[in-house]
Amino acid sequence: MVSWHSVPLHVSYQVIGWIAFACWSFSFYPQAILNFRRKSVVGLNFDYAVINFMKQSCYLVYNASLYLSSVVQKQYREKYGHNEMIPVAVNDVAFSFHAVIINAVILFQITIYERGSQKVSKITLGIIVVVCLTAIICFFIALPKHHWLWLASAFNVVQVCLTIIKYIPQAVMNYLRKSTEGWSVGFTLLDFSGGIANYAQMAIQSIDQGSWKNSYGNIGKLLISLVTVFFDIIFLCQHYLLYPAKKNRSNSSAEPENAKSSDIESSLNA
């Protein structure tokens, strides 16, 4: 195992890694709790929920393979150098495992709570089919020569693509509804914090080792941090600037009052 050069940086790496784990792990709970309290999933985009589950599953395959498999680790060092550290930490594996479980719970909530007219789109169903076929094809390509690092990296690329795709339906849905009701801003704040901490953890490892190979050695972790921060900024702007909750409530409360006044006017005219 490659050792750390600086104890303070090693400690910082561990601490920030678990901060990222806490932020990203707890970010799923506000939405799950909101669904439970409302007994409704109206406002939560089903395409986002399904794609996010697929994304986290692919990310778990990559993290677990690179952290737990000595064969994959050997292939990684043969490719990037024997003096390079494995860019996946235990907090990455813990997060991925937890994310798959909690997202499965959210999918279960979708099946039992009020859904309104919402449903999973055909585009998302098509994406699921493509991802499954891609995984099968990549497995059989890697199998003859045991290119397991390449296979794990393929899952990493897929999860990055799904990360980009998963946020778009919710952002578009908020725009069309001109509201973020049903979408938990607590998720966004924690998700944003986790993205920042995740990137900071990679930067600390690079500084200690004097090499940025861990960044493009685990380009997926770097990209999901940047993509997450980008879309969370969009969600925060939608929630606090474009479609604030007070404005939504005031508009909804104004409608009954307008209805009352129109009824009074009609009765007077009669």
Side-chain angles (χ1 to χ4, degrees):
M1 293 295 292
V2 181
S3 61
W4 283 78
H5 300 147
S6 170
V7 173
L9 286 178
H10 187 195
V11 173
S12 300
Y13 174 86
Q14 296 292 342
V15 171
I16 292 179
W18 286 109
I19 290 175
F21 165 81
C23 290
W24 269 356
S25 295
F26 293 145
S27 69
F28 299 113
Y29 285 90
Q31 187 66 56
I33 294 172
L34 181 64
N35 297 340
F36 174 76
R37 288 177 175 175
R38 297 169 67 226
K39 297 296 186 292
S40 170
V41 290
V42 175
L44 170 64
N45 190 278
F46 294 173
D47 294 336
Y48 167 84
V50 172
I51 293 174
N52 196 31
F53 177 78
M54 294 292 295
K55 178 265 180 196
Q56 302 299 351
S57 299
C58 292
Y59 199 33
L60 175 60
V61 172
Y62 172 77
N63 284 332
S65 299
L66 204 56
Y67 186 80
L68 299 175
S69 172
S70 58
V71 175
V72 176
Q73 290 177 358
K74 179 182 177 181
Q75 292 178 0
Y76 178 88
R77 291 197 172 96
E78 289 175 350
K79 180 176 182 179
Y80 293 103
H82 293 279
N83 293 326
E84 293 298 324
M85 299 183 72
I86 299 300
V88 174
V90 63
N91 65 272
D92 296 319
V93 182
F95 161 75
S96 297
F97 181 78
H98 175 267
V100 170
I101 299 298
I102 190 63
N103 276 280
V105 171
I106 292 176
L107 288 180
F108 177 71
Q109 289 179 324
I110 288 176
T111 64
I112 63 174
Y113 290 152
E114 171 62 31
R115 299 186 297 273
S117 60
Q118 294 178 212
K119 59 182 180 180
V120 178
S121 69
K122 293 181 179 179
I123 295 176
T124 296
L125 295 176
I127 291 173
I128 294 173
V129 172
V130 170
V131 170
C132 293
L133 289 177
T134 300
I136 294 172
I137 293 172
C138 288
F139 173 78
F140 284 106
I141 292 176
L143 182 60
K145 296 185 177 181
H146 304 286
H147 290 165
W148 304 126
L149 175 63
W150 178 86
L151 179 61
S153 299
F155 275 93
N156 201 16
V157 172
V158 170
Q159 70 91 12
V160 171
C161 295
L162 292 177
T163 300
I164 298 172
I165 295 172
K166 75 172 185 176
Y167 287 113
I168 295 176
Q170 187 67 54
V172 172
M173 185 177 181
N174 293 344
Y175 168 75
L176 295 176
R177 295 168 67 231
K178 298 296 186 290
S179 171
T180 57
E181 184 179 358
W183 172 256
S184 174
V185 69
F187 159 80
T188 305
L189 292 171
L190 288 169
D191 195 44
F192 178 82
S193 302
I196 296 295
N198 207 33
Y199 179 77
Q201 187 188 32
M202 296 187 70
I204 288 174
Q205 187 182 57
S206 297
I207 293 171
D208 178 83
Q209 297 297 301
S211 169
W212 292 91
K213 285 187 177 181
N214 73 301
S215 295
Y216 55 80
N218 189 358
I219 191 67
K221 185 174 180 178
L222 174 64
L223 289 178
I224 62 171
S225 299
L226 299 178
V227 170
T228 295
V229 169
F230 173 77
F231 276 100
D232 285 338
I233 290 175
I234 293 177
F235 290 134
L236 291 174
C237 289
Q238 286 181 325
H239 184 80
Y240 290 110
L241 299 178
L242 299 177
Y243 322 122
K246 290 182 179 179
K247 183 178 179 181
N248 293 335
R249 286 197 297 267
S250 63
N251 289 339
S252 61
S253 61
E255 289 178 0
E257 292 179 0
N258 293 335
K260 276 186 179 179
S261 61
S262 62
D263 291 341
I264 294 173
E265 289 178 3
S266 61
S267 61
L268 288 175
N269 292 332

